[in-house]
Amino acid sequence: MKNLLLALFLTLSVATSFAQKGSIHGVLLDSADQKRTLNYATISVFKEGDSVLTTYKLSDGKGVFKIPNLQVDIDYRIVVNAWQYSVLRKAVRISAASPEVNLGNLLLPSSTNNLSEVVILAERPPIIVRKDTIEFNAESFKTLPSAVVEDLLKKLPGVAVAADGSIQVNGKAVSKILVDGKEFFGGDQQIATKNLPANIIDKIQVNDDVEAKRRDPDILAGNIPQIINLKLKKAIKSGAFGKIYGGAGPRELFEVGGIMNFFRDTTQVSILGYGNNVNKPGFSMNEVMRIGGFSRSGVNSMMVNSEGGFALNGISFGGPMSGGVQKSAGSGANFNTLTKKGVKINGKYFFGHSNNSIEQLVDAEQTLGANRLFTNTNSTQNNKSYTHNIGTRIEAKLDSLTTLTIEPNVSINLSRNNGNLKTKTLNTTSQLVNDGDNTSVLRGNNTEYNLSANLWKDFRKTGRSLNVTLNVIQRDNLTDNFNLNNSNFYAPPSNTLLDQLRDNNINSFNLNLNANYNEPITKSLTLNIATNSNYINNENSLVTFFKNPNNQAYDIAIPTLSETVMQRGYKTNNRASLRWKVNKSLNIQPGLVFNTIDLQNEFDTNADFEQHFQFFAPQLTIRYKDLSLSYSPSFREPDVRYIQPVANNTNPLYIQNGNPNLRPSKTHQINLNIYKYDTKRTLSYNAYLGGSVQNDGVIMSRIIGSDGVQTSSPVNEDGIWQFHANGNLSKDFKSSKRQFNINTGFWSNYTRGVVRVNNIRSHTNIFTFGPRVGGRLNLNDKVELSQTYSVDFSKSSYSDNFFTDLSNRQHNSDSEIIVRLPKRIVWETTYRLQRNTQSVAGMNNNIQLWNAAVTFLFMKNDKLQLKCSFNDILNANTRRYLNISENFIRDTRTNNLGRHGLFTLTYNIQNFGGKVGGRETMFRF
């Protein structure tokens, strides 16, 4: 009911806000040549006697314009600005009797004067479209006092800012953001958009990325990246920006942190520190990437979860990655400078610590002919992690066409995990088959050394380029896993006790050379040659010990559970293709793929064997306007952990074997993608279809004994299909005081796999589909409303009657309201509803998460903020996830922090343009 009322209110608000009252339309023509239309000229509308902009529009590709939603019985003044033409002003009155005003053909004479010299300051147009540049007047788009550049960009017509901060202008991706024509913070886009105040911007200029056009002369017009240049009211040479915060609440909850960036000319220093026990990151990912400096120093790995938690380069910045309740802390620093010779130097050090307590319940049901097997697990875990990451990045432009980048990096991770897993298995008649109590202790020390070097060479001949990358990686993973397990079996009754230590040391060395060369043969033909060569040297050493009852030490070695695998050899992936530019709209690129695998596998006690494989196949890419179609084959050997012949028995109820006889998998993948942005209608839509057919794919074959013990072994299978599709449609309505976005879309996935249980083989067809719809309304930054709704359908079917079809449906709804009234007070609330059709005993299928907050703003530009937040008001205190795979349907519930409140004081720092040193230091906030 709440969602229905909110959706109805949002719909009525939109209808009221954008209801048409009166309009002005006409056609713009060249006065000397009236057959020549003036396209993309700016028509600004002012109330007579008022210098405040009411609204504006651009003429379309035929010189036609129409300005709707104007009040009746009002005298207006329209001002027309077109590049290289004189300014046209005209008085217009809209009356109730004649709300539609047709101005007919408006003739503009050409002008040789600079446009900015003839525009009256009070009538400065919001948009000027020149031959190759779009220029926005920042003062025509009102923002909040605390707004940053990103908030300003969201108000500009044709500009879309995604949730991850990426930007598109008229459907084209923005590749670079400049400040007064120069790179800001090493060219990092979001340092500028998320930190520069909007009120220091004078103009925003947009034009094509000429470097991208030079590197790829055949690039389609719709794919040319854009460059945004922020013209400041006053030049910035030095400054500081960031924030410090601290908060506390009942149950000894707290959060504290600070993140700062100091810069002077071409040198930047970033520092951060945080700590909390409220289950959230110390900072957003964008803050860590931009202000924290990770985007400048390079990101090798990234993990993100749906609750907002994330980890970069193996460092958790808070927020549990797999549910639970977490305490987290971290700190770090980043240094970035540009030398006089143009060399970019970056250095970083970051430390992260997390302590995660997880309580998880899993109910799994699997079908086995006329029987079913029900497994319930109840696990508690306490996982501690300590991670250090230190690295350097050096980028040198050897000449105008050659760039060399060198990146050494070291990561150290210490894991200290303790857990208990209680398992209970029942048959169709609810009789107990087995149960187990497993206590585990894991101690892991992992170190990774990485050296990467990249050489990019452009040649004077347009389109000719060479890109070479060398990566050297050494990993040392040392793990001690202690297991104490007590298992009971009831048909017939028996008991087993296991107390062991698995000492597993994995050392790997990888040398990778990647080269890519482009050679234009003619104006329409370009040859591309690419090669990827790997040398690998891996060792997986496993030694298992039982506990000695005499001295309580783990010193009884078990040869049958111990083995060392040495894997050495080479792999290559070679590709050659010929790109044919048929015309401006069509590119066809056929090619060939040739892969080789030559590996030697040595064992201490098992027989050695070698792997020699070759793979040869065609590939094809076709691009027509906004549509692209590609076919690509791949060839991959089985992971070394699959060929380890020793069984993993850490949980005696679920034993996993290895298989040294696995063959490499062969995958044929096809992708179809279309993206279109309609500038005139501010409408964007895209669709994607991708799929793969895999032979010799690796699946897990399971044997389920009468005692309920499940033993799985990796085996090769043909005919594994995976297809996925998604589509999105988005429409923007923007005026000077209100913005509205409505979007809809879907995602779907189809998997045709193979399931093997007790030597019964069956094809499985799993289909998932999820349509969604959403909208967001912003009324002059006073009220913001957002609503999304989606339904997820899941269904599986099987070719063998031994397995029973499964299905599930889940409804998801997210609502958000933000009210900035009265002045300097912000009210906000979010409500999430998740309803699942799958029933679990004692489990509420309707999970409701309701959060609310009120923020009080103080000081100039709202620098000081006091936020009173109330989380999980309904005390749902759990997270639920349900999925279907193989012949399983699993329902997983994980604990969460539950109902809690927090009072947080935040001080935002934005100090730009001050003197450096003395009393007027950049540290003066």
Side-chain angles (χ1 to χ4, degrees), residues 791-807:
V791 186
D792 297 338
F793 301 91
S794 300
K795 182 177 178 59
S796 66
S797 60
Y798 306 87
S799 60
D800 194 292
N801 293 331
F802 183 75
F803 305 103
T804 305
D805 296 351
L806 301 168
S807 64

Side-chain angles (χ1 to χ4, degrees), residues 402-417:
T402 310
T403 302
L404 175 64
T405 304
I406 300 175
E407 297 182 58
N409 191 80
V410 178
S411 294
I412 301 172
N413 177 265
L414 306 179
S415 302
R416 301 293 183 262
N417 302 338

Side-chain angles (χ1 to χ4, degrees), residues 130-198:
R130 293 185 172 90
K131 182 178 180 181
D132 57 355
T133 303
I134 304 173
E135 184 175 283
F136 300 92
N137 170 30
E139 291 185 348
S140 297
F141 305 90
K142 301 303 180 184
T143 56
L144 293 170
S146 58
V148 293
V149 168
E150 183 178 83
D151 301 312
L152 175 60
L153 292 176
K154 290 178 180 179
K155 304 237 175 182
L156 305 183
V159 178
V161 182
D164 63 359
S166 59
I167 304 169
Q168 288 189 334
V169 178
N170 295 329
K172 301 177 182 179
V174 172
S175 60
K176 188 180 297 184
I177 290 185
L178 306 177
V179 176
D180 282 335
K182 299 178 181 178
E183 288 190 351
F184 188 66
F185 273 78
D188 187 344
Q189 292 186 26
Q190 297 183 38
I191 278 287
T193 61
K194 292 184 175 295
N195 296 284
L196 289 179

Side-chain angles (χ1 to χ4, degrees), residues 853-892:
V854 57
T855 303
F856 302 92
L857 310 176
F858 306 94
M859 301 179 65
K860 184 180 180 181
N861 293 334
D862 304 333
K863 286 186 176 180
L864 185 64
Q865 303 175 3
L866 175 61
K867 184 173 185 177
C868 308
S869 58
F870 306 92
N871 303 277
D872 199 0
I873 297 172
L874 302 178
N875 203 29
N877 198 32
T878 190
R879 297 294 182 267
R880 188 181 184 198
Y881 175 72
L882 190 141
N883 74 307
I884 296 174
S885 63
E886 293 185 323
N887 63 324
F888 276 97
I889 184 166
R890 291 183 177 89
D891 195 311
T892 304

